[in-house]
Amino acid sequence: MWPKDPENGASSGSGSDWMGGDPNVFKDKPWRPLTRTTNIPAAILSPYRLIILARMVVLIFFLKWRVENPNDDAMWLWGMSVVCEIWFAFSWLLDQLPKLFPINRVADLDILKEKFETPSKDNPTGKSDLPGIDMFVSTADPEKEPPLVTANTILSILACNYPVDKLSCYVSDDGGSLLTFEAMAEAASFAE
């Protein structure tokens, strides 16, 4: 439930563009959205929409041809294939509809820091209020999964922009390889 806007008594969260545009619009409000929507350029989106439209037209012509030309020798097989093709066409269409009007959301890091890491009435110490995250990396065979790749994965996890005391990374080596253990020890010493 959005707080009422004191100027006109309307809900501040109503409207289609409350998360888009300039983030400074919300500077004086008691709440600020943690994300913003970003527009996808028409140069990227329009060709994709044209390809989807062309595929839909071809699909409609194919299904029309399939229904109008039954196979009299194996009517049950023809009927089953028509039902399956219509079902797959429907599921493909449902998969494509959200892609016609995609929404990109970008986290506003300044607002996140202000909300979760600054001293306030609810958080007097200013210690991070973000939840703890546990990341599990599993590996089995150092020949199929080189320890360097596993070490890079762990270092990438530990390098993310998240409070250090809230992020944990666990490695599960099902193969129990000494090579993997030594590589993880080196990665841990480098991460410090």
Side-chain angles (χ1 to χ4, degrees), residues 3 19 36-37 72 109 139 162 167:
M19 286 176 41
R36 292 176 290 160
T37 56
D72 295 327
L109 298 178
T139 183
Y162 207 77
L167 181 65

Side-chain angles (χ1 to χ4, degrees), residues 38-55:
T38 58
N39 294 331
I40 298 172
I44 294 172
L45 202 52
S46 296
Y48 184 73
R49 287 178 178 164
L50 286 173
I51 290 171
I52 290 176
L53 182 65
R55 286 179 178 171

Side-chain angles (χ1 to χ4, degrees), residues 12-160:
S12 302
S14 62
S16 61
D17 60 343
W18 67 272
M19 286 176 41
D22 185 19
N24 296 326
V25 172
F26 298 103
K27 206 166 197 113
D28 300 331
K29 302 284 184 185
W31 58 271
R32 290 168 61 191
L34 300 178
T35 61
R36 292 176 290 160
T37 56
T38 58
N39 294 331
I40 298 172
I44 294 172
L45 202 52
S46 296
Y48 184 73
R49 287 178 178 164
L50 286 173
I51 290 171
I52 290 176
L53 182 65
R55 286 179 178 171
M56 277 192 225
V57 169
V58 169
L59 185 64
I60 289 170
F61 280 130
F62 172 74
L63 291 175
K64 181 179 179 289
W65 174 82
R66 185 65 130 161
V67 170
E68 289 177 351
N69 297 310
N71 185 350
D72 295 327
D73 295 335
M75 200 59 143
W76 63 274
L77 184 62
W78 171 82
M80 190 168 47
S81 68
V82 167
V83 168
C84 289
E85 287 164 354
I86 290 174
W87 174 255
F88 286 131
F90 178 69
S91 66
W92 176 80
L93 184 64
L94 288 180
D95 184 49
Q96 296 304 311
L97 287 177
K99 296 176 184 176
L100 289 175
F101 303 100
I103 298 173
N104 278 353
R105 297 192 194 283
V106 177
D108 196 336
L109 298 178
D110 294 333
I111 295 175
L112 278 171
K113 184 171 181 148
E114 179 185 315
K115 182 173 176 87
F116 291 108
E117 294 182 358
T118 55
S120 66
K121 179 182 69 162
D122 298 328
N123 187 9
T125 61
K127 189 175 177 183
S128 176
D129 238 3
L130 292 170
I133 296 178
D134 294 329
M135 303 293 281
F136 292 91
V137 177
S138 61
T139 183
D141 186 5
E143 291 180 14
K144 293 181 182 172
E145 301 170 4
L148 183 61
V149 173
T150 307
N152 285 339
T153 301
I154 292 167
L155 292 175
S156 295
I157 291 169
L158 295 177
C160 73

